[in-house]
Every structure is written in structure tokens, then in C-alpha cells.
Amino acid sequence: MKITAARVIVCCPGRNFVTLKIETDEGLSGVGDATLNGRELAVVSYLQDHVLPCLIGRDPQQIEDIWQYLYKGAYWRRGPVTMSAIAAVDTALWDIKGKIAGLPLYQLLGGRSRSAVMVYGHATGRDIAETVDEVLRHQAEGYRAIRAQSGVPGLDKVYGVSGSGRMYEPADSHLPAEHDWDSAKYLRHTPRLFEAVRAAAGEEVHLLHDVHHRLTPIEAAQLGRSLEPYRLFWIEDPTPAENQQAFRLIRQHTTTPIAVGEVFNSIWDCKWLIEEQLIDYIRATITHAGGITHLRRIADLADLYQVRTGCHGATDLSPVCMGAALHFDTWVPNFGVQEYMPHSELMLSVFQCDWRFEQGMLYCGEKPGHGVDIDEKLAARYPYQRAYLPVNRLQHDGSLHSW
Ligand code: KDG
Ligand code: MG
């Protein structure tokens, strides 16, 4: 079998997605997600200009060899652009392999480890009352795990909180918006948020929170400790992960579990954190961490240290990523939870999916491969629109800050 064609499809049915489609001489095709939020066209060029010409004529069944060829062969290893491009090829090839075998992807990986995939939904509000309402709404829809975020009194705009109090979109279609930030206000507010949420939602529901890398290590330690009475499932990205020693400091002060890694793209980004048991959940995704082939290595390493998976699943990961992730989650032994921000109806008309949601769980489909395809004609009606994530500045003097 040979790869005869490969093309990149860029579309914006409400937000930008980059999709790779690979075709073979036997009429089978596969798709992969290559969306890198806010830097989409860099991956498009990487694929079109540098990767796709090398794929034509190769045997699509040699997934491992093609992965190594693109990783080692580039000489320039790792990085989000490279690893998203490799991920897209890898995901499309696993999709093709599933179709060759006539098996859903989870069967190729080793079969079912669980009946369904627990997902966490997003409850966001402009204030505590609105977030509590959203948590209760999610519980009523059957969610067993819910991430809670809210506006912070005294701060105008906070990323991850929509103006309407409902879903937020992780990019704005203009130049980057500027938000302001004050860690002291946030640290005072967040325990109050979770006190109210836990009181309203009861003991059973898993509560999660995303700090978006905004705290220093000692502030993150304070936050973790102040949230202990509310028994969170995790706090995510409490501090930037470039200096990984910071997580040792956080660990010394709190037993609140820690999730990290949505911006990681390689096993090398998380190896030390996992081996030192400084995190509890690894958030790396198929799309940004080198595809199924590489994420599997990360999960296997994590399993040795009882670190569980919690794959990133915001709406900037396309339905192709979500479809593949659900198969991965159905198989992976050390599964923790899967993030789930439902895509809009328009997005799901461009991408056809076969998963279903029921009582807080997602069920992957049984179609061969990962079960997601793209309607290219419809996609062409929604061309790329420039869009960016916001930036964060300290409220008191405008210094640029992490978020
Ligand atoms: O592109 C970045 C978003 O996906 C990210 O900010 C969302 O932090 C996020 C999350 O946990 O989903
Ligand atoms: Mg996050």
C-alpha cells in the first residue's frame, strides 16, 4: 500500500482548525488534527512545505518508521509546531490502519480497559453565584467531574470566563486581547469560590480548577493548601513548568493533586516531573504531543509512577483530536479523566463524529479507525480567520504576566 496524496485543510467554522487528510492507492484515507491555537499557519507551512512531499509513495502501514523518520530525520527535534505536524500524520496513519484492519482504534491499541470515558465539563461564571449555577446545570446534565472558574472581583476580564457566563472560546478573532491580573485578588477569591461550589454541589462530584500558569511557586503552594478543605480532583498548571523544580516546592506544602502538560509536546517535557512524582495527572494531548504513537509512550512512563492521564480537550483541539483521544482513553490503563468542551453544531457539521455523551461519560464509536471525518466541501465555506489567545498584564503596572 502507498500514500498517493496528502493535503492540509484549513477551516474556521466558528474557530480555526487545521486538518490533514492522507489518501492511499487502495482508496482508504485517514485524517489527523494539526491545530495549534493562534499559530495555526506555522503548522500548515511545516506540513505542506516540508513534510507532505516526503510522504508520497511511503507505506502508510509503517506508522512507527514514519514517526521516527519525521522526528529524527528533521534533525530539529521537539517543539509545538514540529510535534503537532508529526501528530497529524501519525493520527491519520492510525486512522488508515484501523480501516485496513476493519477495527476501531481502541482495539488496535490493545482493547477496551473501561466501559466509557469520564469527562469533565466547564462551569464558568462572571461571579461565584453564576459559577455555582453553572456547576449545578452541569450536574443536572449528568457530569461527574466539573471544572469551575469565575471572574475575580476587581479584575475586568479573566481568561476562561465568558462574558455571557456560558461557554468561552479559547481565542479571539482580532489581535490579542489584553487582560489584567492580580494574584493577591485571585488568591483571596478562589477558596471562596470552591467553598460555595462544594457546599452547593455536594461531596460526590469531582471539582477541578485551572490556574493557567499564573502563580509563582509559593503562591501556588498557598492556593493548593487553601483549597484542601474542598478536596479538588486537581489544580491545573499552578505555575509555569519551564522550571520544574518549582513543583517540588508546591508539593512540599500541599496535598491538592496537580495536573500539568497541556503545553507539553514531548515525553522529555514531563519525564522528570513524572519520575520525581511531582504531578498526579499528565495533560498532554494527541495533537500537540506527537500523536498516538508518542502519547502512548508518555502514558506508559506515567503509569510506572501512578500518574494518570487527563488529556487536554478544549475546543481548539478539533473533533478529530477528540475522536482519537476517546479511543486512546478507552484503552489507556492509567486513565484519569478527559477534558470535554463540546464543539458547536456548526463544527460538528463540518466534522462527522460517532461518539456519544451520556451521564457525564463519553462513548467512542465502533467505526474502523478513530471514527471522525471532515466534509471538505463544507469546510471550504469557512475560510481561516486570524485569531489569537489573549495576553495577561499585571493590573498595577502593566507588566506582561503568564496566564
Ligand atoms: O489553546 C489554549 C487553550 O486550549 C487553553 O487555554 C485551554 O487551558 C485550557 C484548558 O485547560 O482547556
Ligand atoms: Mg488548561
Side-chain angles (χ1 to χ4, degrees):
M1 187 179 281
K2 282 191 176 10
I3 296 175
T4 48
R7 61 186 168 280
V8 181
I9 304 142
V10 184
C11 64
C12 187
R15 71 140 13 263
N16 290 313
F17 293 117
V18 178
T19 309
L20 174 67
K21 186 151 203 167
I22 294 181
E23 290 177 346
T24 65
D25 56 353
E26 296 191 16
L28 295 175
S29 64
V31 293
D33 178 28
T35 309
L36 186 62
N37 194 16
R39 295 293 185 272
E40 294 88 355
L41 300 185
V43 190
V44 174
S45 165
Y46 192 103
L47 280 167
Q48 279 177 343
D49 297 332
H50 303 294
V51 171
L52 302 191
C54 309
L55 291 182
I56 307 303
R58 281 181 195 282
D59 181 353
Q61 297 173 99
Q62 293 181 3
I63 299 176
E64 187 65 50
D65 183 66
I66 291 177
W67 197 97
Q68 300 293 338
Y69 175 84
L70 294 177
Y71 184 80
K72 295 178 177 161
Y75 186 67
W76 311 105
R77 297 181 184 201
R78 305 164 61 185
V81 174
T82 298
M83 297 304 276
S84 300
I86 294 177
V89 174
D90 185 77
T91 307
L93 296 183
W94 277 100
D95 194 22
I96 291 172
K97 198 178 269 301
K99 291 173 184 173
I100 295 168
L103 289 172
L105 174 58
Y106 76 84
Q107 293 288 15
L108 299 185
L109 291 171
R112 187 178 282 286
S113 297
R114 58 195 50 79
S115 55
V117 170
M118 181 172 78
V119 297
Y120 70 89
H122 283 228
T124 71
R126 285 164 290 193
D127 54 25
I128 291 178
E130 224 173 62
T131 300
V132 167
D133 285 351
E134 280 294 291
V135 168
L136 296 177
R137 183 176 70 80
H138 277 80
Q139 274 188 300
E141 287 176 14
Y143 282 92
R144 299 148 196 242
I146 303 170
R147 179 184 116 156
Q149 311 285 134
S150 93
V152 176
L155 295 183
D156 233 16
K157 278 188 270 172
V158 177
Y159 175 77
V161 176
S162 82
S164 67
R166 296 296 286 259
M167 288 294 291
Y168 75 96
E169 165 49 48
D172 290 323
S173 47
H174 42 66
L175 293 176
E178 307 222 341
H179 294 180
D180 51 20
W181 183 251
D182 183 322
S183 295
K185 290 190 171 89
Y186 169 77
L187 286 170
R188 282 197 298 273
H189 172 73
T190 306
R192 292 176 193 150
L193 168 67
F194 279 93
E195 184 183 12
V197 168
R198 182 56 85 194
E203 294 298 330
E204 287 295 320
V205 66
H206 297 303
L207 297 176
L208 297 79
H209 182 67
D210 194 347
V211 189
H212 292 296
H213 317 97
R214 288 156 169 158
L215 298 178
T216 65
I218 198 69
E219 288 167 347
Q222 285 168 22
L223 177 72
R225 186 178 279 188
S226 69
L227 293 176
E228 282 171 19
Y230 315 114
R231 295 170 306 284
L232 268 62
F233 187 91
W234 75 36
I235 53 172
E236 175 190 343
D237 291 335
T239 197
E242 286 98 322
N243 170 25
Q244 302 197 335
Q245 293 286 349
F247 288 81
R248 200 185 285 297
L249 190 149
I250 299 171
R251 264 294 203 240
Q252 282 162 357
H253 293 284
T254 181
T255 54
T256 296
I258 296 170
V260 165
E262 70 181 31
V263 301
F264 289 177
N265 50 71
S266 155
I267 197 167
W268 298 101
D269 294 329
C270 44
K271 177 179 180 290
W272 190 81
L273 285 174
I274 291 171
E275 287 172 349
E276 294 294 312
Q277 296 181 271
L278 297 177
I279 60 173
D280 303 283
Y281 295 92
I282 180 69
R283 298 260 302 137
T285 50
I286 285 174
T287 297
H288 299 141
I292 294 150
T293 297
H294 197 62
L295 192 64
R296 187 166 62 169
R297 297 219 154 88
I298 293 176
D300 281 344
L301 173 68
D303 193 31
L304 300 182
Y305 299 90
Q306 299 196 48
V307 172
R308 292 191 277 156
T309 62
C311 289
H312 186 201
T315 39
D316 51 294
L317 283 319
S318 93
V320 176
C321 177
M322 180 57 82
L326 291 178
H327 284 268
F328 188 87
D329 297 337
T330 297
W331 157 72
V332 71
N334 48 325
F335 172 74
V337 71
Q338 168 69 51
E339 181 178 13
Y340 178 47
M341 280 173 83
H343 292 99
S344 69
E345 270 179 37
L346 179 61
M347 293 171 192
L348 295 176
S349 65
V350 171
F351 295 91
Q352 295 78 53
C353 311
D354 67 344
W355 69 70
R356 69 187 165 85
F357 175 86
E358 214 180 290
Q359 290 301 308
M361 312 292 276
L362 277 172
Y363 294 77
C364 68
E366 292 291 331
K367 280 189 188 158
H370 56 53
V372 186
D373 208 347
I374 181 167
D375 180 336
E376 291 186 61
K377 276 208 187 107
L378 191 55
R381 297 207 339 229
Y382 304 101
Y384 170 80
Q385 287 178 25
R386 175 171 290 135
Y388 291 93
L389 284 155
V391 300
N392 220 12
R393 289 188 184 277
L394 292 185
Q395 193 177 40
H396 69 280
D397 70 356
S399 312
L400 204 82
H401 191 66
S402 312
W403 64 259

